[in-house]
Amino acid sequence: MDEKNNGFLKRADAHIALANEQLNQNLTQGEISASFMYGSARFSAWMAASSFESSEDMKAEKQKIVEYFMKEYKLALEEHLDNHIENFDFSHNKS
């Protein structure tokens, strides 16, 4: 794996590690997931906004921005769902 991808995975793992730490704070998986997604959306919106010169320019591209992030999230989610379908040990789940 090249250095760029290695950094990508380390950053993703850091976010996951924080979410896992929060599991020890009497929070539900749903609460943590909701915060994780909300934070990602906030950061993505800020990142998009920082690339435009005006709100009018950003407004004109809003649908393209939404489509881009939704497409990328869907690809990642499907990849990880498939991985869990193939490899997850479901025997440890509560009945």
Side-chain angles (χ1 to χ4, degrees):
M1 174 177 299
D2 65 30
E3 185 61 33
K4 181 178 177 184
N5 285 338
N6 192 28
F8 173 87
L9 293 176
K10 285 181 180 178
R11 288 187 304 276
D13 287 345
H15 291 285
I16 293 166
L18 175 60
N20 287 335
E21 286 177 26
Q22 292 176 350
L23 284 173
N24 296 323
Q25 299 173 7
N26 280 341
L27 298 169
T28 67
Q29 291 173 338
E31 289 170 320
I32 295 165
S33 178
S35 296
F36 209 157
M37 286 191 292
Y38 184 82
S40 178
R42 267 181 73 177
F43 184 81
S44 296
W46 170 82
M47 185 187 73
S50 68
S51 68
F52 289 95
E53 292 185 17
S54 71
S55 64
E56 292 82 14
D57 292 343
M58 186 176 180
K59 185 176 182 178
E61 297 295 317
K62 179 182 173 185
Q63 191 57 42
K64 288 181 186 175
I65 296 166
V66 170
E67 288 172 7
Y68 168 79
F69 283 109
M70 296 299 290
K71 177 183 159 228
E72 293 300 314
Y73 183 83
K74 183 177 187 253
L75 286 171
L77 181 60
E78 287 177 342
E79 173 187 346
H80 293 289
L81 286 171
D82 289 343
N83 181 287
H84 280 73
I85 289 166
E86 295 296 320
N87 301 301
F88 189 78
D89 181 0
F90 290 92
S91 67
H92 296 291
N93 290 353
K94 297 176 185 174
S95 298

